[in-house]
Amino acid sequence: MPRVHIELDRKAVVAPVRRRTFGSFVEHLGRCVYTGIYEPEHPSANEDGFRMDVVELVRELGSTTIRYPGGNFVSGFRWEDSVGPREKRPVRRDLAWHSLESNQVGLDEFARWLKLTGSELMLAVNVATRGILPALDLLEYANHPSGTALSDLRIANGTPEPHNVRMWCLGNEMDGPWQTGFMTADDYGKIAARTAAAMKTADKDLELVVCGSSGSGMPTFGDWERTVLEHSYEHVDYISCHAYYQELDGDLGSFLASAVDMDFFIDTVVATADHVGGKKRSRKRIDISFDEWNVWYLKEHQESQKDETEWRHAPRQLEDVYTVADAVVVGNLLMTLLKRSDRVTSASLAQLVNVIAPIMTEPGGPAWRQTTFHPFSITSRLASGEVIRPVIESPVYETARHGEASVVDAVATADEDRAAVFLVNRDLREAAQVTIDVRGLGSSRVAEALTLADADVYAKNTAAEQDRVSPSANTTAALADGVLTIELPPVSWTAIDLR
Ligand code: AHR
């Protein structure tokens, strides 16, 4: 049995826990919006047509800032189509996902939905196929209080108060050849800088996200970030990172070490951003908005979509059903985002409902939690105060895809009167015996210890068996003389709430 020792010291602070780390993403894609969050005919629908069973689950998930309306979708989107009287809104083709968009949900409705869930809006503008003026128009419609053509239009459309959106994405994955209107780094850097400068002329306090690479595997990774920031550094506040992981070729060991890759990715982007800032002798620091991250069985999706010819509204797309192993990876990726809270100050789990999502629904039927729901919701509930960097003495193993990985990974957070420790055991066969020195946190009591694991690491939750996988109390947790001991089952994620 692997033996692991962890030291936690209240003084080893990384950064405050950022609530925006627990962001998510709603794209007009598949059934994320239509029959996901919005289904007027559903028995639980409110007067706006939003499913209240889904609202309840989103609240329980504890997601904070929600990125909207895309994703690849945004690069073909005309925001004007989605406001005003619903019966006058046009149906358009969405080239990104080869489907039809009815525009029955738009900015004003979505903002009302966000209020129900207690979340903040993060809005993306279409810089790919539109330009500076439509972005400024959207900003005026969304944020200007009143007395201008577009703010008065918003009021006439039934939204008297401005949405006051703070975070804005300047397009999406502009390096990807799949992106409608994709660009070179040079072209995008220039247009992003000009769009950002114009938006900040309207409101200097906006927080603007420039597109980084759509993945660290892109051939232009690194150069893209450098070139884009060389153009836009002084005008933007964040650079985005996107990362999706999946088990490939039956290599579960590598898949479980996905967080090692995410950590390396963050290191590279931070180094590149700081390199550009240093060259510019800028005192400003660019943070990371990790605004797409998750497990995604992308290869399977690409296979299933390649012969798609029909134009359908809200087709079933990207409806991945997650396993226990997937949940362990998602929990571990979130731990990494917390560990890097010094530079990753916003993140979005992609996505929220039905589309590579922690919440699933059936039209006219139930809504339920996927396996990945649990580590996200528990971490969002327990993480508070400051992130504490742990010192971990753990055996390591070699992976084919990500090099060396520790068998056990951990991160902690601490507030004045409570602390939390989050752990994964990546060992495929053996439980890990862990001791954690918590004297440096001043903790004396375990309030709760929850573990997600299963004898079948590929067990899933489905419409028929909605709670097949859920966390259970880890009864091995014990705290005596400032030392916590706990056993972590193989392929497991654990959270400990300390007082
Ligand atoms: O989240 C699904 C898609 O993944 C997004 O639309 C796009 O930005 C990324 O490629």
Side-chain angles (χ1 to χ4, degrees), residues 25 27 29 67 71-73 97 172-173 178 242 244 292 296 318 350-351 356:
F25 179 24
E27 176 165 6
L29 191 187
R67 184 166 175 250
N72 296 339
F73 170 79
W97 300 106
N172 177 69
E173 296 192 347
W178 57 86
H242 291 181
Y244 293 102
E292 286 187 34
W296 178 8
L318 283 65
Q351 300 194 5
I356 44 173

Side-chain angles (χ1 to χ4, degrees), residues 316-437:
R316 289 183 187 262
Q317 288 179 321
L318 283 65
E319 298 201 5
D320 288 11
V321 180
Y322 291 120
T323 66
V324 170
D326 296 333
V328 172
V329 170
V330 164
N332 197 186
L333 294 172
L334 189 52
M335 285 163 50
T336 296
L337 293 169
L338 276 174
K339 273 194 208 179
R340 306 309 302 267
S341 295
D342 53 334
R343 295 304 288 269
V344 182
T345 55
S346 184
S348 311
L349 173 71
Q351 300 194 5
L352 187 59
V353 183
N354 287 334
V355 171
I356 44 173
I359 298 168
M360 296 301 286
T361 69
E362 271 304 315
W368 67 97
R369 303 165 191 81
Q370 292 237 46
T371 57
T372 54
F373 181 100
H374 297 290
F376 191 100
S377 100
I378 295 168
T379 309
S380 178
R381 174 166 63 85
L382 295 184
S384 66
E386 288 166 321
V387 181
I388 306 297
R389 183 179 296 108
V391 177
I392 307 170
E393 289 166 31
S394 163
V396 294
Y397 69 108
E398 206 42 49
T399 71
R401 293 172 67 82
H402 311 305
E404 199 172 77
S406 64
V407 169
V408 166
D409 191 20
V411 69
T413 64
D415 218 334
E416 292 201 340
D417 52 1
R418 72 189 291 184
V421 188
F422 306 97
L423 306 119
V424 286
N425 178 12
R426 297 169 173 148
D427 197 292
L428 302 187
R429 277 165 289 276
E430 288 195 81
Q433 189 63 48
V434 182
T435 54
I436 312 175
D437 188 336

Side-chain angles (χ1 to χ4, degrees), residues 449-460:
L450 291 169
T451 290
L452 190 92
D454 199 283
D456 175 7
V457 299
Y458 296 107
K460 300 167 175 180

Side-chain angles (χ1 to χ4, degrees), residues 95-279:
L95 299 186
W97 300 106
H98 197 87
S99 51
L100 294 179
E101 173 54 51
S102 68
N103 283 302
Q104 291 304 294
V105 173
L107 172 60
D108 295 324
E109 293 84 23
F110 190 66
R112 284 204 288 282
W113 180 81
L114 286 171
K115 283 213 173 79
L116 297 173
T117 63
S119 331
E120 180 196 9
L121 178 57
M122 174 185 189
L123 210 49
V125 295
N126 176 357
V127 297
T129 57
R130 301 203 76 191
I132 300 174
L133 198 56
L136 292 176
D137 284 350
L138 176 56
L139 178 59
E140 181 187 323
Y141 184 91
N143 283 5
H144 196 78
S146 65
T148 66
L150 292 171
S151 58
D152 287 346
L153 178 64
R154 183 198 67 240
I155 295 166
N157 285 342
T159 309
E161 293 305 318
H163 297 302
N164 196 19
V165 182
R166 295 293 91 206
M167 274 191 94
W168 295 76
C169 302
L170 302 165
N172 177 69
E173 296 192 347
M174 294 300 304
D175 60 332
W178 57 86
Q179 197 70 221
T180 313
F182 68 90
M183 294 178 195
T184 63
D186 219 32
D187 287 346
Y188 173 66
K190 286 179 193 162
I191 193 152
R194 291 201 296 263
T195 309
M199 290 175 77
K200 287 214 174 170
T201 308
D203 179 348
K204 67 175 177 31
D205 297 326
L206 296 178
E207 298 172 60
L208 302 182
V209 186
V210 75
C211 293
S213 301
S214 44
S216 61
M218 295 299 285
T220 50
F221 177 56
D223 277 342
W224 173 275
E225 279 75 3
R226 180 182 51 73
T227 309
V228 165
L229 284 174
E230 271 165 1
H231 288 293
S232 63
Y233 198 92
E234 292 305 336
H235 304 292
V236 301
D237 307 279
Y238 295 86
I239 186 154
S240 69
C241 288
H242 291 181
Y244 293 102
Y245 297 95
Q246 75 175 104
E247 184 183 338
L248 290 166
D249 308 321
D251 182 2
L252 183 55
S254 289
F255 177 50
L256 289 169
S258 298
V260 173
D261 180 73
M262 180 187 248
D263 198 45
F264 175 72
F265 186 179
I266 294 168
D267 269 346
T268 313
V269 176
V270 166
T272 308
D274 289 351
H275 164 73
V276 177
K279 275 207 316 185

